[in-house]
Amino acid sequence: MLAAPPARASTPPIAPQPERSTQADELPAMVKLVMRPTKGGMFLYLPSIDTDPNSGVTAGIMPVWVVMAASDTVRRIYVTNLTYNPHFGVTAGCEVFSFLSSRSNLHTDLSFSQYWNREVSAAYSTVIPFKREVDFHGHVEYSRDGSKRFFGFGPNSAKSGESNYTLDTINYRVSGSVPLREGSPFNAGVMHAFMANKVGGSFPGIPDTIALYPTVVQDVAQRHHNVSFRGFLNYDTRDSPVTTSRGTYAETFIGMGDKSLFSQYDYYRYGMELKHFRPTIGEDEREPRFISASRVRFENLVGTVPFWLMPNLGGKYSHRGYGEGRYIDQGMFMIEGEQRCRLHAMRISGVMTSFWLDPFLGVGTVFPELDLMQAKYFHPVVGAALRVVGRPQIVGSADFGYGQEGLKVFLDIDYSF
């Protein structure tokens, strides 16, 4: 998977507005059903309904408390949830998004399910003021995910080959980057990551990967560790890495794992990513009425690693018409376009909040070798996303993607693409 280093932690300043919050009787009836303005922000009473292709249907409640700063920006978001899934039982969780300053933020996540699933993680981003400002990002995580899927290798792996496994992961990742010169949109950086994975059995109803594909999962009693290093160069002119409305992001990277450097595998991987956002300005120049967004991703791996470390296609972040990890091979390529259309905008508790309908389409594939990439194995996707955007820090989205295997739905927060 193309694991891009984090974008710059800073966000453009938003001028304070004279009115602190919207009164409840000024809100549309639909908004009043799920939101209550508070003195210091807002409280949302949200249902939680997720139909992730791998996990199945999950339903419950998701109260969200947004705490505002004096400058009419979000200071902290508490996202709690209590849900039920037929495979994992009852799950309780809490995420906290802390915007410590305009250049620093902290995201913590704690989640426990009745069966299989666990997650404890923390991610911190900041800008360190040296001679040249250093973008720093650190992430540490323990997780156990019982919804993983494996269908075999290649762009034509059959749906009938579906199997399920549990991936138990301990990992950390740190990266730092600096501008090539002061004020430059070009940044160069390095990343170091460690991952220790253990593969376990599946939940009932879907064939077990260990049993169905015994040659691709070996030494199941051991943790498989990978130590990797990466160098990257990126170009970033976006107005915000999360609530993006204009600008370009481009990155190229090369990384490696080496047994002499404590990795269990010898390999190298390289790739690139390009994102572009072009606005059509309406009456309100602070936020466009329409945004044309596009992205291209490519990655290639040379060497031998377990299938869960290989480039893959599918899921919310890399082809929304297919489940996560649907296609796996030595390389992947995808291209996608999206037309973002603002339906309505209003100020809620000091936050400029807008509602969007964003149709999209794209194609993608995986390949064993670069010269074996074939157009007949390009898998299409078409669909639309519903987004709620609170500038400059919040995005909530529901993505409905239709591919060759039917409709897929993904929910997420704080992801632009």
Side-chain angles (χ1 to χ4, degrees):
M1 180 180 291
L2 181 61
R8 298 185 67 85
S10 59
T11 56
I14 300 295
Q17 299 298 312
E19 197 165 327
R20 170 65 181 173
S21 63
T22 300
Q23 299 299 319
D25 58 2
E26 298 175 357
L27 299 175
M30 185 63 68
V31 175
K32 283 194 269 188
L33 288 176
V34 298
M35 196 215 77
R36 178 171 62 86
T38 65
K39 183 178 180 181
M42 69 182 84
F43 197 89
L44 297 95
Y45 312 87
L46 300 178
S48 178
I49 302 175
D50 193 358
T51 58
D52 181 88
N54 291 1
S55 302
V57 177
T58 301
I61 57 174
M62 187 174 65
V64 179
W65 181 28
V66 180
V67 179
M68 303 295 297
S71 59
D72 281 340
T73 57
V74 176
R75 173 58 55 85
R76 196 167 290 113
I77 305 173
Y78 300 91
V79 182
T80 57
N81 66 80
L82 185 65
T83 61
Y84 175 77
N85 178 283
H87 302 300
F88 307 121
V90 177
T91 297
C94 179
E95 288 185 81
V96 181
F97 298 84
S98 300
F99 302 96
L100 307 177
S101 71
S102 64
R103 295 188 161 197
S104 301
N105 59 72
L106 174 67
H107 174 210
T108 57
D109 191 358
L110 179 66
S111 177
F112 287 86
S113 297
Q114 188 175 355
Y115 309 112
W116 278 284
N117 288 356
R118 305 283 188 272
E119 182 173 4
V120 181
S121 67
Y124 176 69
S125 297
T126 191
V127 176
I128 303 173
F130 286 127
K131 184 176 180 180
R132 291 184 185 174
E133 293 182 337
V134 178
D135 280 347
F136 171 83
H137 178 82
H139 176 92
V140 60
E141 176 184 22
Y142 168 73
S143 67
R144 189 163 74 224
D145 185 351
S147 69
K148 296 295 186 179
R149 296 287 194 272
F150 180 70
F151 297 81
F153 297 106
N156 61 341
S157 58
K159 176 68 173 175
S160 59
E162 180 178 18
S163 66
N164 171 245
Y165 66 98
T166 297
L167 188 64
D168 190 300
T169 300
I170 301 170
N171 71 78
Y172 71 80
R173 181 174 67 250
V174 293
S175 68
S177 64
V178 297
L180 295 187
R181 64 176 185 272
E182 188 174 353
S184 172
F186 288 95
N187 289 266
V190 294
M191 182 174 71
H192 164 61
F194 169 82
M195 181 178 293
N197 291 325
K198 184 177 180 181
V199 175
S202 65
F203 50 68
I206 298 176
D208 191 302
T209 300
I210 297 172
L212 194 61
Y213 298 94
T215 60
V216 302
V217 182
Q218 300 177 354
D219 300 324
V220 295
Q222 304 295 322
R223 281 197 181 272
H224 301 254
H225 63 271
N226 175 51
V227 179
S228 63
F229 301 88
R230 174 177 296 189
F232 58 87
L233 175 67
N234 64 44
Y235 170 86
D236 194 354
T237 61
R238 295 172 297 174
D239 56 343
S240 167
V242 176
T243 58
T244 318
S245 65
R246 67 198 74 212
T248 300
Y249 177 85
E251 181 205 343
T252 182
F253 77 88
I254 184 167
M256 60 169 289
D258 193 294
K259 291 182 179 179
S260 65
L261 298 174
F262 309 106
S263 178
Q264 196 171 339
Y265 314 105
D266 288 316
Y267 67 92
Y268 70 92
R269 66 202 309 159
Y270 58 92
M272 59 78 65
E273 182 169 25
L274 174 65
K275 304 177 184 180
H276 181 66
F277 304 84
R278 185 176 63 85
T280 301
I281 303 299
E283 297 176 4
D284 182 357
E285 294 189 359
R286 294 185 61 196
E287 182 177 67
R289 290 184 179 275
F290 300 97
I291 302 170
S292 297
S294 57
R295 63 173 171 170
V296 179
R297 290 179 57 186
F298 163 80
E299 183 175 2
N300 195 32
L301 182 144
V302 180
T304 302
V305 297
F307 69 88
W308 58 83
L309 293 177
M310 295 175 67
N312 63 82
L313 188 73
K316 165 73 178 179
Y317 308 111
S318 67
H319 219 35
R320 290 172 278 181
Y322 304 85
E324 181 185 354
R326 174 60 183 90
Y327 297 100
I328 296 175
D329 216 321
Q330 295 291 117
M332 66 85 69
F333 172 80
M334 65 160 288
I335 183 169
E336 187 176 51
E338 182 173 283
Q339 182 60 52
R340 302 180 175 181
C341 309
R342 192 185 73 191
L343 303 178
H344 183 67
M346 61 189 302
R347 183 166 290 279
I348 302 177
S349 295
V351 177
M352 179 55 69
T353 305
S354 53
F355 303 85
W356 298 73
L357 174 63
D358 307 334
F360 61 83
L361 56 86
V363 294
T365 190
V366 297
F367 49 86
E369 296 180 20
L370 185 56
D371 58 356
L372 296 179
M373 183 167 55
Q374 300 182 53
K376 68 178 180 179
Y377 292 130
F378 275 60
H379 301 284
V381 59
V382 62
L386 299 175
R387 285 190 176 93
V388 179
V389 178
R391 298 189 184 278
Q393 297 145 308
I394 309 170
V395 173
S397 63
D399 294 74
F400 302 83
Y402 191 87
Q404 293 167 314
E405 297 172 355
L407 179 67
K408 303 293 185 279
V409 182
F410 302 94
L411 304 179
D412 198 27
I413 189 171
D414 275 6
Y415 176 66
S416 177
F417 97 36

